Amino acid sequence: MSDARNSILTRLRATRDAHPPTPPASDFAPIEAKQWAAEERLPRIRRLMEAVHTEFLDATKADWPQVLREFLAREGVGSLLYAPGTEAGKQLVEGGERGPIPTLIPYDRPLEDLKPQLFETIEAGLTTTRGAIAETGSLILWPTAEEPRTLSLIPHIHIALLRTDALYDTFLQAMREQGWAQAMPTNALLVSGPSKTADIEQTLAYGVHGPKRLVVLVIHQ
Amino acid sequence: MDGNAPDFAAASRAALADPQLRGNFRRAMDGLMTKRAAQFPDAGEWHGVRALAAAVRLRALSKLPELLETLEENCTRNGITVHWAATTEEANAIALDILHKANAKLVVKGKSMVTEEMHLNAVLEKDGIEVLESDLGEYIVQLDGTMPAHIIMPAIHLNTKQIAHLFKRKIKDAESREDAAYLTDLARRVLRAKFQAADVGMSGVNAAVAETGTLCLIENEGNGRMCTTVPPVHIAFMGLEKVVEKLEDVPPVISLLPRSATGQPITTYVNMISGPRKDGEKDGPREVHLVILDNGRSSIYADPELRDTLRCIRCGACMNHCPVYTKVGGHAYEAPYPGPIGKILVPQIEGLEKRGAMPHACTMCNACVEICPVKIPIVEIMGRLRVEAVKPGGAVKDGGAKASRKESMVWSGWAAMNASPTAYRLATMAMSRLGNAAPSSLPMLKEWTNVRTKPRFAGRTLHDLARAKGIPDV
Amino acid sequence: MSTIPKPHRVYYFGTCLVDLFFPDAGMAGIELLQSQGLTVVFPQGQSCCGQPAYNSGYRADALKVARAQLDLFPGDDPIVVPSGSCAGMMKKHWPDLFRGEPDEAKAVQVAGRVWELTQFLVHVLDVRLTDQGEPVRVTWHASCHAQREMGVVEEPKALLRQLANVELVELKREKECCGFGGTFAVRHPEISAAMVGDKVADIEDTGAARVVSGDCGCLLNIGGALEAGAKAAHGQHIAQFLKERIHGR
């Protein structure tokens, strides 16, 4: 279909050059102006995300595996999929021996070999985040070879670790400071709550295709 | 879509006669307008971000051919296969070819207006491929055998009771429960099995970033992520106008789209895809294809005034605020894009022979223009299309298709009367004295007096009164 | 909004609908301006702003009619129009209509002097109204073009609120079009009927005895529908309403 390509591009170029538009300058100041004090960011994120049924747990760098295990026990969650190659994955396995132990399932093979389990039995998935955004109450997810995309998508409960030293004001600020444009991963995501829909008569319902529950485990620095 | 021209007047009559439908739309649109307004409490913020979003779109359009080439180059470098289609037929052929090569039997789809434009589902089904819409609203509409009634909320025309009945009829083991949570869960069970089994996932694109070769998709349900992550092949479809220059251009668009569309600060998921599964990665499709569709867009682009149509980011807010759409609903337009944006986009794509009536289904109230997040001069374009419809040989497909000798003579006569003070004076004198004797059965008066009394001529014009009162003339 | 010093003299463009159907409202507008000490000039050669043809796709015919008005307003005096829609046509669309024409500069100059009546009363004349009328409840219908082309939203309501015995109850959907839309009302009579039906219901909910508006297209539509439905409320142009109130009628 290269014919289509060339004819489309030739036509666009010719007609554009016949009437060259002069777009106004792109002034990003209205977005750059959106700022919150450091201590306001987490409460704002929490408020916005809780408004769409996100749950929050508080922990420290040392005790989060323990807090997580207690949560899973409390909620009767029997299986947790995790990324064994990440620091967090290692800490999860090592830490919290004192707590009750759910079945920890390492995501250590291709999706194709894990599909039935993922769709049918695994209850929860654990991921890290690359921070969160105060303006909209959004987590930044950055799946990698170690931490696959479906970890945060298919299990009914998605648990995300959020470090309090990676809170941004806006999406724009996050992508600038983290240099996204220079190295986009296969998939980058903003996640602002559990899966939801209002397609039936504008009535909000949670858990339509993606996770039914989103639990943010805040690791206070 | 072929065959006779759609009859908006007849279809809207049917819609108006359905009190259930009228109630559903009135309620839904009132709610959406209120929710949108609540997202923009700060007028300064709205004006600033709106100006930025419009500038981003205008800049993209100003460099459209170059950005499409850059997009292709960067997507290709990222491992995405880029295809170009001049027509919907070509786009369908590309899709079928990919599906055949993948030996696909089951396709799951996320929301994509471009594939509605292509009537892709019908093409696939004819080829024996099962295709399942997975956005809950689209799934409902597909089960019902109809078209989306709104570009963002496809099943907005139905209420819970109607959907419960539909599910009961169409889904095995469905209980008859008029409960949105139950119905949602039911759809979850049906569709999860399909995501797991699908050979190919399809999606639209909200914005394609030339700089990085990234496809951005926004959604609330997670079905878009399912379609673009789980099946081994992902095909994304975009209209050629959907490109933006830089990654930084995405935040302004994302900032306004969900707020304008549904009154939420952001969608649950903002999904940015920059390639298929890389070596060592454990999931994601092995192949990602991007189909770039023209289908008349390059003709729209050719005209500097009509070009602004292509700024659209498909938020649907113009529908929510359109008093005509609110009355008749989306199906009356019998078009992939209803409401104000549909009234300017569809006639340009499909031509004025078939769609010349659409730009007249508008009171030019400008409610859409007031809230459009990228400042599309919708009503100006509407006016321009009215000109093109009666002017042969213009810039739009089938220009002049609605030209009528009779109508043109009426306007010539009107102009002659209003351009000459003497003629105007004589004519208004005659109307003032005799106009009230006109029978209500006359054309136009008949339509008018259906629900209104006849306009009453005053007997003496303002010209007469001003003269009588000695109001100076110069 | 930006304003200008109070002039001694203004032009009045009455509009064709006022001319034929609401001449008393037109006269009331003139008298309101005169009551503020202005000389009001009504050029007898005027007819129509050209909007009907312009919005129907017949731009050449619209241009012919608009051009016939251009020479009626020499000088710099403001041009006051008792209609948001016609004012919007002149102010906003004449520059487009005349683009590239030999008289473009003149059209732009004239367009720049156009004011909608209530806008002029509030921003230029800063009028103070004394209510002489009996207590009455009214509601305000905002015409689409007054709001969205001329930016007239609060001005008419501010004038109504100056009247001590007038209770203004706002419509629930004040900003929603009444369904007139020029030829729309006869091209799509059923949709237009549904729209004016919603508007009438909204008016009835306010319990107002009158719906006041600044545009005669809307008034023909809404007033005609109120009358046909034998509703208690009736429509009135704001110029006439204000004039009656300050004269105690």
Side-chain angles (χ1 to χ4, degrees):
Chain A
M1 293 289 167
S2 68
D3 280 358
R5 176 191 188 278
N6 294 336
S7 69
I8 290 168
L9 290 173
T10 306
R11 178 138 198 239
L12 292 177
R13 200 165 266 121
T15 54
R16 190 267 319 272
D17 293 345
H19 301 282
T22 44
S26 301
D27 177 6
F28 284 81
I31 293 184
E32 289 158 350
K34 297 180 188 189
Q35 291 175 8
W36 288 269
E39 68 275 13
E40 286 173 21
R41 289 188 199 127
L42 185 61
R44 182 181 165 91
I45 288 165
R46 196 164 175 151
R47 179 170 55 77
L48 285 167
M49 293 188 76
E50 282 177 345
V52 285
H53 287 208
T54 306
E55 300 156 66
F56 279 78
L57 296 172
D58 293 290
T60 63
K61 205 175 167 202
D63 76 355
W64 72 259
Q66 186 71 24
V67 172
L68 174 57
R69 285 172 187 234
E70 282 165 13
F71 167 78
L72 295 171
R74 199 162 62 238
E75 299 287 324
V77 180
S79 54
L80 176 71
L81 186 67
Y82 73 104
T86 61
E87 271 309 305
K90 287 173 193 147
Q91 216 183 328
L92 172 74
V93 176
E94 287 158 14
E97 292 92 349
R98 287 157 298 159
I101 303 174
T103 311
L104 295 181
I105 303 154
Y107 203 139
D108 55 5
R109 61 220 109 137
L111 170 66
E112 289 68 24
D113 301 334
L114 201 63
K115 247 189 193 179
Q117 258 179 294
L118 246 175
F119 271 96
E120 286 148 30
T121 58
I122 293 170
E123 293 166 73
L126 174 71
T127 72
T128 58
T129 60
R130 237 185 159 200
I133 295 163
E135 184 192 6
T136 52
S138 309
L139 304 175
I140 301 165
L141 267 78
W142 205 262
T144 59
E146 286 76 36
E147 194 178 275
R149 296 156 72 168
T150 43
L151 254 181
S152 64
L153 175 62
I154 302 177
H156 295 299
I157 306 174
H158 171 207
I159 300 157
L161 301 177
L162 174 64
R163 294 165 52 109
T164 51
D165 57 0
L167 306 181
Y168 299 87
D169 291 320
T170 61
F171 184 19
L172 181 69
Q173 186 201 16
M175 70 165 60
R176 281 180 178 172
E177 292 189 6
Q178 296 186 352
W180 290 19
Q182 282 75 53
M184 283 296 273
T186 303
N187 186 213
L189 292 157
L190 303 186
V191 175
S192 305
S195 155
K196 69 175 188 292
T197 186
D199 275 352
I200 298 178
E201 210 183 335
Q202 300 262 287
T203 309
L204 256 182
Y206 287 87
V208 55
H209 298 299
K212 291 180 170 181
R213 293 172 70 182
L214 171 62
V215 180
V216 179
L217 182 45
V218 181
I219 303 175
H220 294 270
Q221 299 296 308
Chain B
M1 292 309 284
D2 298 314
N4 296 332
D7 186 348
F8 176 74
S12 58
R13 268 195 291 279
L16 289 168
D18 180 347
Q20 176 78 69
L21 185 80
R22 292 247 332 247
N24 291 357
F25 270 97
R26 176 88 261 180
R27 214 169 28 255
M29 298 304 124
D30 278 351
L32 287 165
M33 286 191 279
T34 307
K35 284 202 272 181
R36 178 203 163 273
Q39 285 297 328
F40 295 103
D42 175 354
E45 192 266 349
W46 155 247
H47 290 300
V49 181
R50 185 190 198 204
L52 173 58
V56 160
R57 293 297 301 135
L58 284 165
R59 173 159 44 82
L61 292 175
S62 76
K63 303 177 182 178
L64 187 57
E66 292 79 13
L67 293 185
L68 286 170
E69 284 176 322
T70 310
L71 176 69
E72 180 185 45
E73 193 182 313
N74 286 328
C75 282
T76 306
R77 197 198 56 218
N78 292 344
I80 298 173
T81 311
V82 178
H83 309 261
W84 301 75
T87 62
T88 56
E89 289 77 15
E90 284 182 22
N92 284 322
I94 291 165
L96 276 178
D97 188 49
I98 299 167
L99 293 172
H100 291 160
K101 281 182 184 147
N103 198 21
K105 300 276 179 288
L106 174 63
V107 172
V108 285
K109 280 181 72 196
K111 252 192 88 47
S112 155
M113 290 314 298
V114 163
T115 60
E116 297 283 347
E117 218 176 298
M118 293 158 56
H119 301 282
L120 177 64
N121 291 5
V123 172
L124 298 190
E125 278 159 13
K126 211 174 150 196
D127 198 70
I129 296 169
E130 183 185 354
V131 49
L132 211 79
E133 293 287 351
S134 63
D135 171 88
L136 181 58
E138 292 276 357
Y139 173 68
I140 292 166
V141 168
Q142 190 186 26
L143 277 185
D144 200 23
T146 53
M147 282 168 79
H150 188 287
I151 66 170
I152 300 293
M153 288 147 288
I156 194 104
H157 57 298
L158 300 173
N159 61 21
T160 310
K161 187 175 179 174
Q162 292 166 313
I163 295 166
H165 286 182
L166 176 69
F167 278 19
K168 179 83 182 97
R169 277 204 323 276
K170 301 275 182 165
I171 300 176
K172 196 164 159 273
D173 301 332
E175 293 170 33
S176 188
R177 276 171 63 185
E178 294 169 21
D179 170 13
Y182 166 74
L183 296 168
T184 302
D185 202 55
L186 186 59
R188 178 184 179 91
R189 275 186 273 141
V190 173
L191 286 164
R192 282 206 150 212
K194 298 290 184 181
F195 290 130
Q196 193 181 341
D199 304 302
V200 171
M202 292 182 174
S203 76
V205 175
N206 291 100
V209 184
E211 178 185 30
T212 54
T214 300
L215 311 178
C216 301
L217 279 84
I218 64 171
E219 53 141 352
N220 285 314
E221 298 183 358
N223 66 307
R225 287 186 67 197
M226 287 283 189
C227 292
T228 58
T229 310
V230 177
V233 178
H234 166 213
I235 313 175
F237 297 86
M238 66 178 262
L240 56 75
E241 78 281 20
K242 278 292 167 67
V243 66
V244 296
E245 184 176 13
K246 293 172 184 298
L247 195 63
E248 287 194 355
D249 293 337
V250 174
V253 173
I254 299 292
S255 167
L256 295 185
L257 208 166
R259 287 197 282 169
S260 300
T262 51
Q264 50 179 346
I266 191 164
T267 48
T268 301
Y269 302 110
V270 176
N271 185 5
M272 290 158 275
I273 297 163
S274 305
R277 182 188 310 195
K278 288 197 192 85
D279 286 345
E281 290 180 345
K282 296 183 184 67
D283 61 6
R286 305 270 182 193
E287 291 174 33
V288 176
H289 298 265
L290 174 64
V291 181
I292 301 176
L293 176 68
D294 182 345
N295 193 29
R297 288 167 172 80
S298 60
S299 302
I300 299 174
Y301 186 74
D303 185 280
E305 198 176 60
L306 301 174
R307 191 178 284 167
D308 284 333
T309 312
L310 300 178
R311 278 191 219 178
C312 179
I313 58 171
R314 305 279 189 271
C315 70
C318 58
M319 284 157 222
N320 305 346
H321 291 74
C322 176
V324 174
Y325 178 91
T326 303
K327 298 293 172 299
V328 302
H331 286 155
Y333 298 86
E334 299 180 79
Y337 306 96
I341 187 65
K343 285 179 243 188
I344 62 171
L345 178 59
V346 175
Q348 296 186 71
I349 291 178
E350 297 185 13
L352 290 160
E353 172 71 47
K354 191 171 165 189
R355 297 295 192 172
M358 273 183 103
H360 281 284
C362 166
T363 64
M364 300 193 140
C365 79
N366 280 280
C368 53
V369 177
E370 190 173 48
I371 50 77
C372 175
V374 289
K375 299 205 270 188
I376 301 174
I378 299 173
V379 171
E380 279 174 37
I381 295 174
M382 201 87 71
R384 172 71 192 283
L385 292 175
R386 292 180 182 187
V387 172
E388 298 292 333
V390 296
K391 190 179 83 181
V396 181
K397 185 179 173 190
D398 305 329
K402 300 289 161 187
S404 129
R405 205 174 138 73
K406 192 175 125 201
E407 197 178 285
S408 131
M409 279 169 62
V410 168
W411 285 112
S412 299
W414 172 88
M417 166 192 146
N418 282 286
S420 150
T422 312
Y424 181 79
R425 193 166 165 181
L426 289 170
T428 51
M429 190 195 293
M431 283 189 265
S432 297
R433 310 290 188 275
L434 309 168
N436 290 333
S440 299
S441 56
L442 281 181
M444 303 224 293
L445 263 186
K446 184 164 173 278
E447 285 81 21
W448 178 268
T449 53
N450 206 12
V451 294
R452 306 168 192 86
T453 50
K454 219 162 56 171
R456 267 187 301 279
F457 290 94
R460 295 180 79 193
T461 64
L462 178 60
H463 284 69
D464 294 335
L465 299 185
R467 251 194 323 274
K469 297 246 179 178
I471 307 297
D473 168 40
V474 285
Chain C
M1 95 154 274
S2 62
T3 186
I4 53 168
K6 183 178 167 179
H8 299 293
R9 181 177 180 275
V10 294
Y11 288 108
Y12 197 72
F13 185 79
T15 84
C16 60
L17 285 183
V18 166
D19 205 23
L20 287 167
F21 301 107
F22 299 91
D24 291 338
M27 243 357 263
I30 292 176
E31 287 163 21
L32 282 171
L33 294 167
Q34 287 175 328
S35 75
Q36 301 298 308
L38 300 185
T39 299
V40 180
V41 177
F42 182 88
Q44 284 283 332
Q46 63 180 277
S47 59
C48 169
C49 64
Q51 183 172 198
Y54 184 80
N55 283 350
S56 298
Y58 292 87
R59 299 268 162 103
D61 294 316
L63 181 64
K64 197 170 160 189
V65 170
R67 180 168 281 145
Q69 320 301 316
L70 275 192
D71 288 328
L72 302 172
F73 310 99
D76 295 318
D77 291 327
I79 303 160
V80 180
V81 185
S83 155
S85 192
C86 309
M89 175 69 197
M90 297 165 83
K91 196 171 187 75
K92 210 182 141 202
H93 299 294
W94 276 11
D96 287 334
L97 182 61
F98 284 86
R99 183 150 302 142
E101 297 291 323
D103 39 7
E104 180 181 353
K106 192 193 286 178
V108 169
Q109 196 267 357
V110 171
R113 289 153 51 206
V114 170
W115 292 79
E116 186 273 340
L117 175 66
T118 62
Q119 194 178 40
F120 193 79
L121 292 174
V122 170
H123 295 293
V124 181
L125 302 181
D126 192 21
V127 294
R128 292 284 176 266
L129 305 171
T130 308
D131 194 2
Q132 309 278 348
E134 295 298 311
V136 65
R137 178 184 289 184
V138 304
T139 188
W140 166 250
H141 168 71
S143 97
C144 298
H145 293 166
Q147 294 177 74
R148 304 195 182 97
E149 294 196 335
M150 295 303 288
V152 175
V153 178
E154 293 304 322
E155 292 85 344
K157 290 189 280 183
L159 291 170
L160 294 171
R161 287 197 181 100
Q162 285 189 25
L163 303 167
N165 284 330
V166 172
E167 182 197 358
L168 173 66
V169 183
E170 294 184 28
L171 293 174
K172 193 168 141 214
R173 300 189 187 101
E174 182 182 290
K175 298 184 85 176
E176 186 167 286
C177 177
C178 70
F180 175 64
T183 56
F184 176 86
V186 288
R187 273 182 189 265
H188 293 290
E190 292 89 357
I191 305 174
S192 177
M195 290 168 75
V196 75
D198 274 15
K199 187 60 72 180
V200 165
D202 200 355
I203 293 165
E204 282 199 287
D205 284 347
T206 65
R210 273 185 229 185
V211 52
V212 181
S213 181
D215 268 276
C216 291
C218 312
L219 282 170
L220 280 177
N221 183 36
I222 299 170
L226 286 168
E227 195 177 38
K231 306 294 184 190
H234 67 270
Q236 191 171 35
H237 193 282
I238 188 164
Q240 198 167 7
F241 181 75
L242 294 180
K243 190 197 127 186
E244 287 181 12
R245 297 303 299 186
I246 60 180
H247 289 115
R249 286 177 43 215

